[in-house]
Amino acid sequence: MSPRRSVAEALGTRAAILDRSVAVASVEGLEGLTIGRLAAELGMSKSGVLGHFGSKEALQLAVLERADGIFLAEVWEPAAPAAPGLVRLRVLCEAWISYLERQVFPGGCFFVAAAHEFDGRPGAVRDAVESRFEAWRRRLGKEAGRAVDAGELPAGTDPEQVVFELLGVVMALNHAIQLHGDQRAAARARRAVETRLMPAGERPA
Amino acid sequence: MSPRRSVAEALGTRAAILDRSVAVASVEGLEGLTIGRLAAELGMSKSGVLGHFGSKEALQLAVLERADGIFLAEVWEPAAPAAPGLVRLRVLCEAWISYLERQVFPGGCFFVAAAHEFDGRPGAVRDAVESRFEAWRRRLGKEAGRAVDAGELPAGTDPEQVVFELLGVVMALNHAIQLHGDQRAAARARRAVETRLMPAGERPA
DNA sequence: CCTACCGATCGGTAGG
DNA sequence: CCTACCGATCGGTAGG
């Protein structure tokens, strides 16, 4: 009848564990995230940490969900008010580049890192990462398709091709920042996006 | 005066360890590569494996060197006979795409994976990965520069911008193959390279 | 949420 | 190249 911790306190603890986990996993990876280290950093026991999730895999899935919330708040939401089609696609790309430039996650894009870590290991974590990317590509593809339909991009442009190339630009930027600490890369990424999203009729000869 | 194993046998063992290591690390990562697992798979003792390298980090560096040899043989050497400039750059990109399509390393591009694994951890492995990428970017940049100088690419084209964008295309391809098993991605990558390496004067309006 | 514990595995060493 | 071993750490559980 009188739990030692209130529901609010338990939720606060859970949130604190997830915040710390996102920060650690961003740099060390979702496997490098260990219960023991997490417990020590939070001044808790290992079983105290694990009790909130049940298993390491469940913790990893919760961390992924938390990271997705941050990503959507940083990249998708700022673009939502923009006009659908080419304008929104450009705003999305700018928010995406800015998210990497500002190092919202200290280890770079959380999902790109998770994709590389888990693409060779079947399981729930891999499936979750894959479905996040698919959802994101659908979102971008929808805007690219609208831009083509509205005549803002050249007729015959394949929206999925555009999304593929934009994803590549962002991955190259993430790589340049994280591995080389290259600050000029953001300007390169912006230039590449600009070229790729040049409106119909404005292409240079 | 009479070692239990001849020098040739020791070199053969070392090569066998490295072959196995490259295959494992390609999928599980350079940290996921463990001495104990390697020993079990090779029917050796842990100290037998470790004796050839001295430490896990030294093993990782040797594995990286081995992977680099494979990469150069698969991607650089086929392009060496091609004419310098735009032709060689195109042949390089085709070999690079083919290397990913054929999954020369079962886990995808060894260096992209290693970059993500180590970009947040200072040390000799990280430095080695970074210098491999720099060498590769210099090679590509040199060909791109020649193509610009020869008028094969539009005047004013920034060779480093070209390299940045090509790296992005390849990274997007690697991602699509490894995470999504998307076989159409190679065609997308070829299309993107073709657009990016369109000769001066052949750009569509 | 804790203490106390489990078996497994890690990288590495001693000594041969 | 082996056996035998080291301390440390892993994810997870029992019991409270």
Side-chain angles (χ1 to χ4, degrees):
Chain A
M1 293 299 183
S2 60
R4 275 178 285 183
R5 295 287 185 275
S6 71
V7 171
E9 280 171 325
L11 286 176
T13 303
R14 192 188 141 99
I17 295 171
L18 287 178
D19 281 343
R20 193 85 208 103
S21 296
V22 165
V24 172
S26 154
V27 175
E28 317 272 352
L30 278 166
E31 275 298 323
L33 184 68
T34 73
I35 317 286
R37 174 181 168 178
L38 217 44
E41 288 182 4
L42 291 162
M44 294 172 65
S45 67
K46 289 200 302 172
S47 68
V49 171
L50 206 49
H52 283 275
F53 306 96
S55 70
K56 179 167 180 176
E57 189 180 61
L59 168 63
Q60 290 171 326
L61 291 169
V63 171
L64 222 41
E65 202 170 342
R66 176 93 168 165
D68 193 50
I70 294 170
F71 178 79
L72 292 177
E74 293 282 345
V75 182
W76 172 250
E77 285 172 26
L86 191 61
V87 172
R88 186 182 285 163
L89 194 54
R90 279 186 171 146
V91 175
L92 275 171
C93 287
E94 175 52 33
W96 205 3
I97 289 169
S98 165
Y99 145 88
L100 291 177
E101 206 176 14
R102 289 176 292 128
Q103 302 208 56
V104 168
F105 296 111
C109 182
F110 204 95
F111 300 93
V112 169
H116 278 98
E117 197 176 359
F118 283 89
D119 63 14
R121 316 181 196 178
V125 176
R126 190 218 141 96
D127 294 347
V129 172
E130 189 177 359
S131 76
R132 298 294 186 194
F133 268 100
E134 276 164 4
W136 183 238
R137 298 203 316 190
R138 264 197 306 278
R139 270 201 164 130
L140 293 170
K142 194 168 152 190
E143 299 306 329
R146 281 169 168 163
V148 176
D149 291 345
E152 296 167 333
L153 286 174
T157 299
D158 176 2
E160 287 190 48
Q161 179 77 23
V162 173
V163 172
F164 177 87
E165 293 182 21
L166 292 176
L167 182 60
V169 171
V170 167
M171 291 180 80
L173 172 58
N174 188 54
H175 176 267
I177 291 174
Q178 295 301 316
L179 186 65
H180 303 291
D182 182 358
Q183 294 304 330
R184 295 163 306 177
R188 294 201 193 288
R190 289 191 172 93
R191 242 176 101 179
V193 166
E194 221 174 277
T195 308
R196 179 65 259 195
L197 297 185
M198 196 91 74
E202 287 187 29
R203 311 239 154 186
Chain B
M1 296 296 185
S2 61
R4 275 178 283 185
R5 294 287 187 275
S6 71
V7 171
E9 280 172 324
L11 286 176
T13 303
R14 192 188 140 98
I17 295 171
L18 286 178
D19 281 344
R20 193 86 208 100
S21 295
V22 165
V24 172
S26 153
V27 176
E28 317 273 352
L30 279 167
E31 274 298 323
L33 183 68
T34 73
I35 317 285
R37 176 182 167 176
L38 217 44
E41 288 183 3
L42 292 162
M44 294 172 65
S45 67
K46 288 199 302 171
S47 68
V49 171
L50 206 49
H52 283 275
F53 306 95
S55 71
K56 179 167 180 178
E57 189 181 60
L59 167 64
Q60 290 171 326
L61 291 169
V63 171
L64 222 39
E65 202 171 342
R66 177 92 169 166
D68 193 50
I70 294 170
F71 178 79
L72 291 178
E74 292 282 346
V75 182
W76 173 250
E77 285 171 25
L86 191 62
V87 172
R88 187 182 284 164
L89 193 53
R90 279 186 172 143
V91 175
L92 274 171
C93 287
E94 175 51 34
W96 205 3
I97 290 169
S98 165
Y99 144 89
L100 291 177
E101 205 176 16
R102 289 175 292 125
Q103 301 208 56
V104 168
F105 296 111
C109 181
F110 204 94
F111 300 94
V112 169
H116 278 97
E117 199 175 359
F118 283 89
D119 62 14
R121 315 182 196 179
V125 176
R126 191 218 141 95
D127 294 347
V129 171
E130 191 177 357
S131 76
R132 299 295 186 195
F133 268 100
E134 275 164 4
W136 182 239
R137 297 203 318 187
R138 265 197 305 275
R139 269 200 165 131
L140 293 169
K142 194 168 152 189
E143 299 306 330
R146 281 170 168 160
V148 177
D149 291 346
E152 296 166 336
L153 286 175
T157 300
D158 176 1
E160 286 189 49
Q161 179 77 23
V162 173
V163 172
F164 178 86
E165 293 183 21
L166 292 176
L167 182 59
V169 170
V170 168
M171 291 180 80
L173 173 58
N174 188 54
H175 177 266
I177 291 173
Q178 295 301 316
L179 186 65
H180 303 292
D182 182 359
Q183 294 304 333
R184 296 162 305 176
R188 293 200 193 288
R190 289 192 172 92
R191 243 177 101 178
V193 167
E194 220 173 279
T195 307
R196 179 65 258 196
L197 298 185
M198 196 91 73
E202 287 188 28
R203 311 238 153 184

